[in-house]
Amino acid sequence: MLAASSSDAVSVTKEWKHKRNCAISPRQFVLFYLSLAAVSLGVALIAAWRGGWLVLPFTGLDLLVVGVAFVIHARHATDYEVIRLSPVSLVVEQRSAQRLTQYEFNPRWVRIDIEKPPRMRIVLRSGSRSVTVGAYLAPHRRETFARELRRCLAQQA
């Protein structure tokens, strides 16, 4: 995460932080995978002992594929976006997996567009630049957030 200087922190008038809704901690996630692996290997070993030895390689392949899927999911479990409004700038900071991107706009020139349902994405536009925000908000909350952001931008003008 980028550190803001003390002068930047004082001038921020409003900040929104949106993040993914993760119902399971990383530790619980690992324990779940280990329990899944133990049960699967137990069943595969019983099948191999009873003559179904081909079950073992397929169980290993299955656990490998599930493990890869879990790693991909875990990489995005801490994704977030932070939107900071100050009198001189609107900064959007987005983290997706290990990539951090930051966009800066002049708050007086920002236009907020809301796409029609079913997507209802919020797009901030300024000149030829645009960025989509609010992806981690529930669809029914995006319009409320867009109204609040519009109101705060109007107060800055």
Side-chain angles (χ1 to χ4, degrees), residues 79-99:
D79 290 357
Y80 68 87
E81 70 182 6
V82 177
I83 302 163
R84 292 183 189 93
L85 178 63
S86 71
V88 294
S89 69
L90 176 68
V91 177
V92 178
E93 180 181 300
Q94 296 176 326
R95 176 177 293 279
S96 178
Q98 302 304 315
R99 188 175 42 126

Side-chain angles (χ1 to χ4, degrees), residues 4-19:
S5 68
S6 60
S7 63
D8 291 340
V10 172
S11 65
V12 172
T13 56
K14 185 75 174 174
E15 179 177 289
W16 298 267
K17 184 168 186 174
H18 305 141
K19 58 184 183 175

Side-chain angles (χ1 to χ4, degrees), residues 79-142:
D79 290 357
Y80 68 87
E81 70 182 6
V82 177
I83 302 163
R84 292 183 189 93
L85 178 63
S86 71
V88 294
S89 69
L90 176 68
V91 177
V92 178
E93 180 181 300
Q94 296 176 326
R95 176 177 293 279
S96 178
Q98 302 304 315
R99 188 175 42 126
L100 180 67
T101 53
Q102 192 170 12
Y103 306 90
E104 187 168 354
F105 299 99
N106 183 330
R108 292 174 183 85
W109 298 344
V110 174
R111 188 177 80 230
I112 301 172
D113 295 329
I114 302 176
E115 293 181 352
K116 301 289 182 210
R119 296 193 97 176
M120 288 205 49
R121 294 188 308 182
I122 302 169
V123 182
L124 304 180
R125 299 183 196 279
S126 180
S128 63
R129 297 179 8 182
S130 65
V131 62
T132 301
V133 297
Y136 305 126
L137 290 173
H140 66 278
R141 292 188 177 170
R142 290 180 186 160

Side-chain angles (χ1 to χ4, degrees), residues 29 32-33 36 60-72:
F29 207 66
F32 172 74
Y33 180 73
L36 176 70
L61 181 64
D62 181 51
L63 289 174
L64 177 67
V65 169
V66 170
V68 168
F70 280 179
V71 167
I72 291 170

